[in-house]
């Protein structure tokens, strides 16, 4: 059999298998373990309503540099929540970047239960929030995805018209 056909059917099988197995991909924790104040970072709790009725929680970490260079939408890994992942982006405000660190549905203070389709809705709602409320003046917007966040960011940016219009770049960290 042609190698390309085998790879194609392997990919299709994987997608089908994973589409029904979201509970094996996400390991949310509700409790917060750390906060940006522990690292002397100023932050704001942000709550985002999704079109399908969930309420998401995120942390807005504003740039502490005199000249802000852009905004980063941070998509964390598959376990715990932003309280255990934000240290990966804690250095960005000092370097001149705003950060919106999102907790997907079911993680931390966000409502709902995570699944692939729902989490993509969450990312879209988060980008809409940045564009509508936090991107003044208009600055470049970047997506930084770590672990499962890397895979989600690639899928999101590849599919979303809003992302194609507003995302200036991507950082894919430890994607699988």
């Amino acid at each position: 059999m042609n190698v390309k056909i085998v790879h194609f059917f392997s990919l299709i099988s994987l997608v089908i298998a994973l589409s029904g197995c979201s509970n094996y991909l996400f390991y949310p924790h509700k409790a917060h373990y750390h906060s940006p104040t522990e690292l002397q970072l100023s932050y704001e709790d942000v709550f985002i309503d999704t079109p399908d009725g969930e309420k998401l929680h995120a942390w807005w970490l504003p740039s502490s540099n005199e000249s802000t260079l852009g905004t980063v939408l941070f998509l964390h890994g598959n376990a715990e929540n932003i309280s255990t992942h934000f240290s990966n982006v804690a250095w960005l405000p000092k370097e001149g970047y705003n950060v919106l660190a999102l907790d997907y549905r079911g993680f931390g203070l966000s409502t709902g239960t995570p699944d692939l389709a729902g989490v993509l809705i969450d990312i879209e709602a988060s980008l809409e929030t940045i564009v509508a409320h936090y991107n003044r003046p208009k600055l470049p917007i970047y997506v930084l995805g770590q672990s499962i966040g890397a895979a989600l960011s690639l899928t999101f940016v590849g599919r979303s018209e809003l992302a194609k219009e507003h995302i200036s770049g991507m950082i894919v960290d430890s994607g699988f």
Side-chain angles (χ1 to χ4, degrees), residues 7-169:
H7 286 291
F8 174 76
F9 284 113
S10 296
L11 179 63
I12 295 298
S13 299
L14 178 64
V15 169
I16 291 169
L18 290 178
S19 66
C21 301
S22 291
N23 57 329
Y24 296 114
L25 296 176
F26 299 106
Y27 301 97
H29 288 206
K30 287 297 196 180
H32 277 186
Y33 303 99
H34 304 284
S35 83
T37 55
E38 293 173 26
L39 299 177
Q40 289 77 47
L41 291 171
S42 64
Y43 76 101
E44 172 188 339
D45 284 304
V46 175
F47 291 91
I48 302 165
D49 294 318
T50 66
D52 62 343
E54 300 300 342
K55 184 174 284 294
L56 307 175
H57 177 248
W59 282 337
W60 175 253
L61 309 170
S63 166
S64 59
N65 195 315
E66 279 189 33
S67 59
T68 301
L69 302 171
T71 298
V72 174
L73 173 57
F74 176 58
L75 306 176
H76 65 71
N78 70 333
E80 299 170 351
N81 56 50
I82 56 175
S83 74
T84 58
H85 289 278
F86 80 95
S87 62
N88 294 308
V89 294
W91 59 278
L92 286 169
K94 185 185 271 188
E95 298 299 321
Y97 292 92
N98 302 310
V99 176
L100 184 72
L102 170 67
D103 256 342
Y104 318 115
R105 60 187 63 209
F107 286 77
L109 303 178
S110 296
T111 64
T113 303
D115 61 55
L116 290 172
V119 169
L120 292 172
I121 292 169
D122 299 348
I123 298 168
E124 181 94 10
S126 299
L127 179 57
E128 287 173 356
T129 298
I130 290 171
V131 170
H133 302 290
Y134 292 101
N135 201 29
R136 307 285 185 263
K138 190 174 179 181
L139 296 169
I141 301 171
Y142 305 96
V143 177
L144 191 166
Q146 177 203 29
S147 186
I148 200 168
L152 294 169
S153 67
L154 290 168
T155 302
F156 170 69
V157 171
R159 291 181 179 178
S160 168
E161 291 304 317
L162 185 69
K164 291 173 187 168
E165 181 181 342
H166 293 283
I167 298 300
S168 297

